[in-house]
Amino acid sequence: MSEQTKMPQSQQPALPGLMQDYPLTVGMLLERMGELHGHKVLTTRRAHQFEQSTYAALIARVHRLAGALHDLGVARGERVSTLMWNGPEHLEAHLAVPAMGAVLHTVNARLAPASIARVLEQTAPRVVLVEESLADVLLSVPLPSSVCAVLVADCRNACHAWPEPARGAHRWLRYEDLLAQADRHYFWPALDERSACGICHTSGTTGAPKGVVYSHRSTVLHAMSCLYADGIGLRERDTCLPVVPLFHAHGWGFPYASCLAGASLAFSHRNSDPAALAELIERAGVTLATAVPTVWINLLEQLRSGAIPAGRLQTLRHIPIGGAVVPGHLIEGYAEFGIHVRHCWGMTEASPLGLVSMRRSELSDTEWAAARNHQGIAPVGCQVRVVTDTGVVAPRDGKTVGELQLRGAWVADSYYAPDSPGLRNDAQAFVTDSDDRRWLKTGDMAWINALGYVHIVDRAKDLIKSGGEWISSQDLETALMEHPAVREAAVVAVPDDIWQERPMAYLSLAHQPECGTPNFAAYLETRFPRWQIPERFVVLLELPKGATGKIDKAQLRILAASPRGQAGKGR
């Protein structure tokens, strides 16, 4: 062929891939569970009692739930909302609703009734599943006109009288009664893997909660990512305990990942106190558990004091922690008991996994001791970058700070807009680069180094500007939590006539020091310049928590503005 007759590369016909179409759906996950892992065990500690069932029994109930919802008129694409804690019924909904082609919407049970009403109105569910212990909460909420029925699960009181249809167009029905009447086998339809699977709302820390719509594909890929050896490393031989509520980004994806891997599961219902968790870990043989740092701080205190014998946790090997910064002393403390803590970072918009701390082969023991305190590296399937306030992508030099941005196979492209579900919206949270690639603007200020480790300096809104210079509240909090007397720490900005803003520290103590309150300012002076150190350190019995279990800095800012909130030890 002459040079003149060669077809330019850009005009050559694309060669199609000659592979089978195998949709990544929750239905596929269910089929794998049934074929390979029916003998695996689900253990639940609820009301001081233990319940156990196999995955085979679970799947049989999942089929019945799908049939019951179908009989109630739930069609493909319609929403089913849940107001439930961690238990087998909630897991059944996580499997049945998406597999039948409907969309699961998990409502944060810790929200105020007005907020619950708002997210239900936005989502317009056809059916609401509510746990009996939360039925009174739902009764205080005006349900949207879309609701045709409310299913009440875990009905321990058979004589409880639920509202009559006269209360509205919807009926209140018993979950177990409907399952008993439903067909034993529901035929899972073929679904587009890119269709909606679930809706979770953000915590609303920067405004009203926003809906994030996960697809089947994103859900399964996220579950697969939890199985990577250089990630979470969840295995078939594990028993996983997601203490994090299932309404938080589907339990951080751990229930789906466990079902996919064939790992057994354990649920603590709504209980996260150390004694209850230790009892469940011992009873179920838990090997991997996950929760926000506060849960593990409490448990470590009990382990060190001897209140909980270390032998009760002898099966526990791995603790992936997210939701807040993981202090170094927590990593070191669990290492004393042979338990590996893995620092993770994520957000609802990222399903939620965005960064995982793993050891690269180039690192020496000393280098890894420092690197493990960073939030970590983007897992396969995600990509991160840091963008400065001038709009320039920051170099990976381990020092240039900018906003962390994220893209990937399980990262949101937009927020839920009921009136225009396909519309890309909210330019404040998403940006399109010159190559037409979408990035999620996380609102976290960070740097990234040459090995890909990301260190989050602070939330953009939590940075403190004092005398024209920036102070990282997160760095101060991390240092304070390494003090042996400190249990939790939070630093917020307070107005200052001279310096514009100054940091104020709020602390809860692990124990009451014998010699009075320590001089925290002097402790910080070995690590920070004096101008960065707070003038006031206020000790509270417990720091306020938000609906996601994180420390509520908004409440602390309100407290700091009051005379009572400023009473504390100075320098």
Side-chain angles (χ1 to χ4, degrees):
M1 183 180 292
S2 67
E3 289 293 323
Q4 288 80 9
T5 58
K6 281 185 178 178
M7 183 180 292
Q9 186 73 25
S10 60
Q11 295 180 20
Q12 292 181 8
L15 178 65
L18 303 177
M19 307 302 290
Q20 295 181 7
D21 185 18
Y22 187 75
L24 303 178
T25 64
V26 174
M28 174 276 291
L29 184 154
L30 265 170
E31 288 182 6
R32 181 176 176 82
M33 283 178 68
E35 291 174 355
L36 298 176
H37 307 302
H39 62 290
K40 290 305 183 76
V41 178
L42 170 61
T43 306
T44 305
R45 185 188 186 277
R46 179 162 51 186
H48 305 288
Q49 296 181 341
F50 286 92
E51 309 163 14
Q52 280 195 325
S53 63
T54 64
Y55 279 5
L58 169 71
I59 293 171
R61 288 174 58 84
V62 168
H63 278 272
R64 288 183 178 274
L65 175 56
L69 293 172
H70 179 268
D71 292 343
L72 288 171
V74 176
R76 188 178 298 190
E78 290 189 314
R79 274 72 64 203
V80 174
S81 295
T82 61
L83 185 63
M84 310 174 88
W85 301 108
N86 289 11
E89 297 89 355
H90 209 175
L91 181 59
E92 289 159 11
H94 273 74
L95 297 170
V97 174
M100 69 181 291
V103 183
L104 179 73
H105 168 228
T106 55
V107 179
N108 188 331
R110 297 193 179 106
L111 291 177
S115 296
I116 292 175
R118 187 181 305 118
V119 296
L120 287 175
E121 185 65 34
Q122 183 190 75
T123 311
R126 184 69 172 155
V127 171
V128 179
L129 274 60
V130 62
E131 191 173 305
E132 186 179 37
S133 63
L134 293 166
D136 288 340
V137 175
L138 194 64
L139 285 169
S140 68
V141 173
L143 298 181
S145 58
S146 60
V147 176
C148 71
V150 175
L151 307 189
V152 186
D154 185 32
C155 300
R156 303 303 176 92
N157 185 354
C159 299
H160 198 123
W162 299 111
E164 295 297 325
R167 188 178 185 277
H170 48 272
R171 297 169 290 162
W172 284 62
L173 305 168
R174 295 184 185 279
Y175 185 88
E176 295 298 335
D177 290 348
L178 285 189
L179 261 62
Q181 299 165 12
D183 194 339
R184 288 182 171 184
H185 186 80
Y186 187 87
F187 179 76
W188 305 121
L191 300 173
D192 182 348
E193 66 175 17
R194 296 180 184 273
S195 63
C197 167
I199 300 176
C200 290
H201 281 79
T202 64
S203 60
T205 54
T206 57
K210 303 178 183 69
V212 178
V213 183
Y214 306 130
S215 67
H216 283 264
R217 180 177 184 272
S218 73
T219 299
V220 173
L221 288 175
H222 182 271
M224 287 181 177
S225 77
C226 293
L227 278 53
Y228 297 161
D230 279 338
I232 301 299
L234 182 65
R235 306 167 302 174
E236 180 269 341
R237 70 186 70 176
D238 281 317
T239 294
C240 177
L241 168 58
V243 183
V244 59
L246 296 188
F247 50 71
H248 287 168
H250 294 165
W252 293 355
F254 281 94
Y256 284 129
S258 297
C259 291
L260 183 65
S264 291
L265 271 166
F267 289 138
S268 58
H269 196 224
R270 61 176 300 179
N271 205 332
S272 61
D273 72 83
L277 292 182
E279 185 181 21
L280 179 56
I281 289 168
E282 182 179 38
R283 181 71 170 265
V286 171
T287 59
L288 184 149
T290 186
V292 294
T294 300
V295 170
W296 303 117
I297 291 171
N298 293 341
L299 183 55
L300 183 59
E301 289 174 358
Q302 297 287 298
L303 283 172
R304 282 179 161 163
S305 70
I308 294 177
R312 305 199 74 176
L313 273 63
Q314 63 180 347
T315 61
L316 186 60
R317 290 291 176 265
H318 302 283
I319 304 179
I321 302 181
V325 175
V326 181
H329 73 83
L330 193 64
I331 298 174
E332 295 159 5
Y334 276 102
E336 296 171 10
F337 296 93
I339 301 170
H340 172 62
V341 170
R342 177 155 290 186
H343 202 165
C344 303
W345 171 91
M347 54 198 304
T348 303
E349 291 91 333
S351 302
L353 190 62
L355 297 169
V356 181
S357 182
M358 49 79 68
R359 180 172 181 170
R360 292 194 56 151
S361 58
E362 300 95 324
L363 299 182
S364 67
D365 290 347
T366 302
E367 291 169 330
W368 170 237
R372 70 182 182 182
N373 294 317
H374 303 323
Q375 279 68 26
I377 294 174
V380 176
C382 279
Q383 184 179 1
V384 295
R385 68 178 187 177
V386 168
V387 178
T388 68
D389 55 6
T390 61
V392 176
V393 177
R396 298 190 168 209
D397 57 7
K399 61 182 180 181
T400 304
V401 174
E403 183 185 40
L404 179 66
Q405 296 185 0
L406 181 69
R407 63 188 295 264
W410 51 83
V411 179
D413 190 55
S414 183
Y415 290 117
Y416 179 54
D419 298 331
S420 51
L423 180 67
R424 284 181 169 182
N425 57 18
D426 203 333
Q428 292 183 333
F430 301 93
V431 64
T432 303
D433 65 17
S434 58
D435 294 320
D436 201 33
R437 300 180 301 181
R438 293 278 281 180
W439 294 85
L440 169 68
K441 300 166 66 177
T442 68
D444 282 327
M445 305 303 291
W447 52 252
I448 185 169
N449 68 19
L451 293 178
Y453 287 97
V454 174
H455 179 78
I456 295 177
V457 176
D458 217 336
R459 289 289 294 171
K461 63 185 180 65
D462 290 338
L463 283 170
I464 301 164
K465 195 165 192 177
S466 183
E469 299 289 342
W470 291 108
I471 300 174
S472 167
S473 66
Q474 182 172 294
D475 286 350
L476 288 169
E477 290 160 1
T478 300
L480 284 168
M481 289 181 66
E482 292 177 2
H483 191 288
V486 174
R487 183 169 177 273
E488 291 183 300
V491 177
V492 298
V494 292
D496 187 272
D497 293 338
I498 298 176
W499 303 108
Q500 185 180 357
E501 289 182 337
R502 290 297 299 149
M504 175 181 285
Y506 284 94
L507 310 167
S508 67
L509 302 183
H511 54 82
Q512 189 60 42
E514 296 179 0
C515 302
T517 304
N519 188 332
F520 294 116
Y523 173 75
L524 292 177
E525 282 179 355
T526 62
R527 299 175 61 171
F528 296 91
R530 290 183 63 86
W531 64 270
Q532 290 190 3
I533 298 174
E535 275 79 22
R536 300 234 171 240
F537 298 83
V538 180
V539 176
L540 304 176
L541 289 177
E542 185 175 354
L543 301 190
K545 307 294 193 304
T548 60
K550 302 176 186 178
I551 294 173
D552 191 339
K553 286 195 172 182
Q555 288 297 318
L556 289 177
R557 292 186 185 99
I558 294 172
L559 183 62
S562 67
R564 182 174 70 90
Q566 299 219 18
K569 181 178 176 63
R571 288 179 186 269

